[in-house]
Amino acid sequence: MTLVQLESGELVYSTEPGEGRVGVVVYPWEVSVGRAHQQDSAMNLIEGEIRSVVALGNRVRVRIGPITAEVTASSADTLELARGGTAFATFKATGTRLVPLA
């Protein structure tokens, strides 16, 4: 397990090995979004301001702090996701990729 501190200060876990400066990559559809923290098996939790909400057909891309998530349009409506609000993004260590940075 590799622990990485993001530039924004949050700590995230990855099952990939990494050392030195690395970028953290997570597919947006691998990120779960909630308005309250739910206990589950995901090791990574980011609580932050909703910086953007962008509709893409029947999906919505949501930027929460340093993380981008993708949810269905109906989920975005149900959760009342709007710019400036607060939300939680969770994702698993197994879905977190590390990319070496020069």
Side-chain angles (χ1 to χ4, degrees):
M1 196 71 68
T2 303
L3 179 63
V4 178
Q5 183 172 16
L6 304 179
E7 287 181 359
S8 54
E10 292 93 345
L11 299 174
V12 297
Y13 291 93
S14 175
T15 55
E16 291 196 341
E19 56 183 57
R21 288 182 35 88
V22 295
V24 175
V25 180
V26 181
Y27 288 118
W29 50 87
E30 295 281 340
V31 180
S32 295
V33 176
R35 295 295 288 213
H37 174 46
Q38 302 292 321
Q39 292 292 334
D40 62 14
S41 64
M43 291 186 71
N44 297 309
L45 170 69
I46 304 289
E47 177 183 5
E49 179 182 343
I50 300 172
R51 295 182 180 177
S52 66
V53 179
V54 179
L56 301 166
N58 64 350
R59 299 166 300 157
V60 175
R61 289 261 170 114
V62 182
R63 180 90 171 158
I64 301 167
I67 299 295
T68 299
E70 186 174 281
V71 299
T72 63
S74 62
S75 290
D77 289 341
T78 300
L79 292 170
E80 298 178 349
L81 299 176
R83 192 169 186 262
T86 300
F88 293 85
T90 58
F91 52 99
K92 295 184 177 241
T94 55
T96 307
R97 303 290 175 252
L98 302 180
V99 179
L101 298 177

